[in-house]
Amino acid sequence: EDKVVQSPLSLVVHEGDTVTLNCSYEVTNFRSLLWYKQEKKAPTFLFMLTSSGIEKKSGRLSSILDKKELFSILNITATQTGDSAVYLCAVRGRKLIWGLGTSLAVNP
Amino acid sequence: DTAVSQTPKYLVTQMGNDKSIKCEQNLGHDTMYWYKQDSKKFLKIMFSYNNKELIINETVPNRFSPKSPDKAHLNLHINSLELGDSAVYFCASTLLSGGADTQYFGPGTRLTVL
């Protein structure tokens, strides 16, 4: 059965810390992996990854995919309180499968 | 504004009632989705329509009935509401024919069943 597992489930850090969020998957006919950020509203798109080893970067956020080991990481450097959110990973294979998310709290 | 919009944003109703949630997108997308997000924040896909045709129908009680009058609209009707239906319902859209996987989400409808 296809599945997407995110870890950790929750994380509390201090402003300025660097965090790494993980998303591992077992999906038939992998097509893409997507990262979303969800605050107190709808998820907003961060990255789409389709190829191994190519880092996607947006400001302090970056992500990379390893299709051999079947996982992706999302890095956030110099965290700010505004980064507090649930980070969702979704993988498209035959279907779009969502992970449970990692809840990140950044304390001042 | 180009966006995915949902109405209403909040819906409070009694058990047993029938209610509808509407979704519209003006992004020119061909595929629309309904998701349910419960109190544990797990995003669960319910339905997906591509060009007005149902392409995904997950295990959802048949009290839930989607209806897509055209590519830009996907409405969700819920009959005989139950306490367990309380959740946030998100509509999303994507351009599947363009090979895109990125989904654009509406603001959500918070449904509370009393």
Side-chain angles (χ1 to χ4, degrees), chain A:
Chain A
E1 187 182 339
D2 292 351
K3 62 180 179 181
V4 174
V5 178
Q6 291 186 245
S7 62
L9 282 180
S10 66
L11 193 55
V12 181
V13 299
H14 290 290
E15 268 192 317
D17 288 351
T18 292
V19 297
T20 299
L21 311 182
N22 299 281
C23 175
S24 63
Y25 62 91
E26 291 176 27
V27 166
T28 308
N29 297 330
F30 173 88
R31 194 168 109 175
S32 63
L33 185 146
L34 304 108
W35 283 99
Y36 284 82
K37 177 183 181 182
Q38 185 175 24
E39 298 170 85
K40 291 180 182 177
K41 43 191 174 155
T44 52
F45 173 74
L46 294 175
F47 299 112
M48 183 174 84
L49 303 154
T50 55
S51 302
S52 271
I54 299 174
E55 187 184 51
K56 293 270 179 107
K57 201 168 169 63
S58 176
R60 296 176 293 103
L61 277 67
S62 63
S63 183
I64 198 160
L65 173 68
D66 187 328
K67 287 166 75 173
K68 184 180 174 187
E69 300 297 328
L70 307 182
F71 75 95
S72 172
I73 58 171
L74 176 67
N75 273 324
I76 309 174
T77 58
T79 52
Q80 302 171 357
T81 54
D83 295 327
S84 297
V86 174
Y87 290 84
L88 294 162
C89 171
V91 178
R92 183 176 290 285
R94 287 177 307 180
K95 301 194 295 186
L96 186 66
I97 311 289
W98 290 82
L100 292 177
T102 293
S103 177
L104 173 65
V106 181
N107 291 330

Side-chain angles (χ1 to χ4, degrees), chain B residues 45-69:
Chain B
I45 193 166
M46 300 173 69
F47 302 102
S48 176
Y49 271 72
N50 174 259
N51 288 319
K52 302 196 305 176
E53 284 190 34
L54 183 66
I55 58 169
I56 295 175
N57 185 4
E58 295 296 319
T59 306
V60 173
N62 57 16
R63 298 180 295 103
F64 291 79
S65 51
K67 193 165 281 188
S68 181

Side-chain angles (χ1 to χ4, degrees), chain B residues 38-91:
Chain B
D38 58 26
S39 56
K40 294 180 183 175
K41 300 294 185 185
F42 180 43
L43 207 61
K44 180 182 173 185
I45 193 166
M46 300 173 69
F47 302 102
S48 176
Y49 271 72
N50 174 259
N51 288 319
K52 302 196 305 176
E53 284 190 34
L54 183 66
I55 58 169
I56 295 175
N57 185 4
E58 295 296 319
T59 306
V60 173
N62 57 16
R63 298 180 295 103
F64 291 79
S65 51
K67 193 165 281 188
S68 181
D70 55 57
K71 285 197 304 185
H73 295 86
L74 181 62
N75 303 323
L76 183 65
H77 188 76
I78 316 169
N79 287 326
S80 303
L81 279 155
E82 300 178 357
L83 293 176
D85 297 333
S86 296
V88 180
Y89 291 84
F90 286 105
C91 175

Side-chain angles (χ1 to χ4, degrees), chain B:
Chain B
D1 288 341
T2 53
V4 181
S5 58
Q6 291 178 232
T7 54
K9 285 192 176 157
Y10 299 94
L11 186 53
V12 180
T13 188
Q14 302 277 359
M15 266 175 53
N17 284 349
D18 303 338
K19 290 292 177 187
S20 291
I21 309 172
K22 295 186 176 180
C23 178
E24 177 180 2
Q25 55 91 7
N26 60 5
L27 299 165
H29 289 169
D30 56 7
T31 304
M32 297 181 73
Y33 303 80
W34 275 111
Y35 287 89
K36 178 181 179 182
Q37 189 172 48
D38 58 26
S39 56
K40 294 180 183 175
K41 300 294 185 185
F42 180 43
L43 207 61
K44 180 182 173 185
I45 193 166
M46 300 173 69
F47 302 102
S48 176
Y49 271 72
N50 174 259
N51 288 319
K52 302 196 305 176
E53 284 190 34
L54 183 66
I55 58 169
I56 295 175
N57 185 4
E58 295 296 319
T59 306
V60 173
N62 57 16
R63 298 180 295 103
F64 291 79
S65 51
K67 193 165 281 188
S68 181
D70 55 57
K71 285 197 304 185
H73 295 86
L74 181 62
N75 303 323
L76 183 65
H77 188 76
I78 316 169
N79 287 326
S80 303
L81 279 155
E82 300 178 357
L83 293 176
D85 297 333
S86 296
V88 180
Y89 291 84
F90 286 105
C91 175
S93 72
T94 193
L95 185 62
L96 212 58
S97 61
D101 288 321
T102 309
Q103 299 200 350
Y104 293 82
F105 283 81
T109 296
R110 183 174 292 278
L111 171 64
T112 304
V113 182
L114 303 174

